[in-house]
Every structure is written in structure tokens, then in C-alpha cells.
Amino acid sequence: MSQILIVEDEDRISSFVAKGLRAAGYAPTVAVNGRDGYHLAQTGDFELIVLDLGLPDQDGFTVLRRLREAKNNTPVIILSARNSVDDTVAGLEGGADDYMAKPFRFEELLARVRLRLRQDVPSADTSILSHNDLQLDLRSRRALVNGREIDLSAREFALAEAFLRNPGQVLSREQLLSRVWGYDFDPGSNVVDVYVRYLRNKLGAARFATVRGMGYRLVSEDA
Ligand code: CA
């Protein structure tokens, strides 16, 4: 189980990321400032670091520079609200491996984490997710039912992707909200139900079963 260090001072973001990583089978540890982040990173216990730029003591750039100066080459994915081109360039030049602008969807971060850890690295074929006659091509962002292309919005595609990554599993509204909409969404919103309805209309109602009081589940249509 890969140990991942999250250096982030904002509680709601670190818990969102930690919860998602744990659900994906990783072992996350949170540091709430740059100094602790640096020291934890230097223990060598971590295979990946998710590093916020705006931290209360030393900022993420400083932490990253100190790590690289100390010849610590643990992969780093920078998280930042500052999404200017300058920051991206500075982050990558400073030795970051990847960059995520806030706000982001958890699935986007997870894709980058998987890529960096090069575990279950998708071979050419796993860029296509299939369930019965439904296929999602993650590269071209196309959805096919029985080989026929169905037009999905970006959000609908992301929601369908969350289901196809977890076939048969009950996904709660909260899980779907955080995976598809990110942490900036009001947990009381009914947006998940609305979008599940859209998917049912476009992809077939029987595919997405309602599990009363719990959420939704992708099922085989003939089940
Ligand atoms: Ca911050």
C-alpha cells in the first residue's frame, strides 16, 4: 500500500484528498505546514507527495526546493489555488512532477497520483472502461452504447466514469459529489440526483440502480 504525504493547511481540502486516497487503497498522512511536511518527506517513508503552495510557514515552493537540494526525488504533485501560468512554470522548474489547480475533481488528482506511482499503470487498453454494452473512452472522452456514440457533457462523463470505475459498488451521494464535483460543492445539493437522471435518460435507466438511503450502484441491465 503506497504511503502518500499530503502537505496542506486547509482542513477541508486535506480531508477531502485523504479520504479519497484512502478509498482508492493508498495510505495518506497529512502535514499542516511546510516544516512538518519537509521533515516527514525526509523520513523516506513516502512514495509520493501532494504539496500545497500556500502554507502558513514556508510555502510549497520552498519546501520543494529544499527537498530537491537535499536530493530527495520523491515525486511531487503541486496543489494550488494560484493557477497562473507563472506558478505552473515555477513549480515544474522547481522540480515538481505535476501540477493541479484548485478547485479540482478528486478523479483528476487520482489519475495523476496513479500515473506518478506507475502502479496499475493503464496499458493502452485501460483507457477504455467497459460495462456490458457501455464503453467510455477516457482519452477521447467519448461514450458508446452498443457501439453508438452518446453525447455526454463533461460532468455527465465524469459521473459515468465514477460508476464504471466501481461497478456493482454502492456509491453514496457524498462520494459522488466529492469525486465528480470536488470539495467546493454544497453537500446538501441534489445535483447528484439530477445528473444520475440525465445519465439514465441518455444511457439507459436500468443501469443506475437507486439504493435507498445509501446512493447509487451501477448494475447489469439484465440483472
Ligand atoms: Ca493552503
Side-chain angles (χ1 to χ4, degrees), residues 5 7 31 33-43 49 51 58 62-70 72:
L5 176 61
V7 189
N33 60 54
R35 191 176 305 275
D36 290 356
Y38 175 82
H39 288 300
L40 279 168
Q42 284 291 67
T43 60
I49 303 167
L51 177 63
Q58 31 188 260
T62 308
V63 174
L64 179 59
R65 185 176 44 75
R66 291 183 62 209
L67 287 174
R68 295 308 186 232
E69 279 170 7
N72 181 323

Side-chain angles (χ1 to χ4, degrees), residues 12-219:
R12 115 199 124 104
I13 298 176
S14 61
S15 62
F16 161 75
V17 172
K19 222 193 279 175
L21 288 176
R22 214 169 286 125
Y26 298 105
T29 297
V30 175
V32 297
N33 60 54
R35 191 176 305 275
D36 290 356
Y38 175 82
H39 288 300
L40 279 168
Q42 284 291 67
T43 60
D45 290 346
F46 298 95
E47 285 163 59
L48 179 84
I49 303 167
V50 176
L51 177 63
D52 183 32
L53 284 184
L55 293 167
D57 50 350
Q58 31 188 260
D59 69 15
F61 287 131
T62 308
V63 174
L64 179 59
R65 185 176 44 75
R66 291 183 62 209
L67 287 174
R68 295 308 186 232
E69 279 170 7
K71 303 277 179 255
N72 181 323
N73 291 318
T74 310
V76 170
I77 299 174
I78 281 184
L79 288 187
S80 180
R82 306 187 247 178
N83 57 356
S84 74
V85 175
D86 284 356
D87 275 342
T88 311
V89 171
L92 296 174
E93 279 180 352
D97 298 271
D98 213 334
Y99 196 93
M100 251 340 318
K102 294 176 187 170
F104 55 88
R105 292 193 296 115
F106 182 73
E107 295 291 342
E108 292 172 325
L109 177 65
L110 185 59
R112 285 168 161 83
V113 166
R114 289 201 168 118
L115 186 70
R116 286 304 144 201
L117 290 174
R118 300 185 191 281
Q119 293 172 323
D120 52 81
V121 173
S123 61
D125 279 357
T126 47
S127 66
I128 295 183
L129 296 176
S130 300
H131 189 259
N132 298 345
D133 60 348
L134 171 61
Q135 287 195 323
L136 296 181
D137 184 328
L138 301 179
R139 276 200 200 131
S140 63
R141 314 300 287 175
R142 291 194 319 153
L144 301 170
V145 171
N146 245 326
R148 190 166 56 92
E149 186 165 354
I150 308 288
D151 191 31
L152 296 185
S153 69
R155 207 65 104 175
E156 289 165 352
F157 190 95
L159 182 60
E161 183 183 339
F163 279 112
L164 265 78
R165 285 194 184 279
N166 304 282
Q169 261 182 54
V170 179
L171 297 172
S172 68
R173 283 176 183 76
E174 190 200 11
Q175 280 173 321
L176 291 168
L177 203 55
S178 80
R179 287 187 191 188
V180 179
W181 281 267
Y183 50 85
D184 266 343
F185 229 88
D186 169 16
S189 159
N190 70 341
V191 69
V192 170
D193 308 277
V194 171
Y195 272 79
V196 167
R197 203 180 317 137
Y198 294 160
L199 285 188
R200 282 175 169 158
N201 287 336
K202 290 186 173 183
L203 302 176
R207 257 183 247 280
F208 305 97
T210 303
V211 183
R212 204 165 294 284
M214 294 177 74
Y216 296 101
R217 191 159 65 92
L218 181 68
V219 294

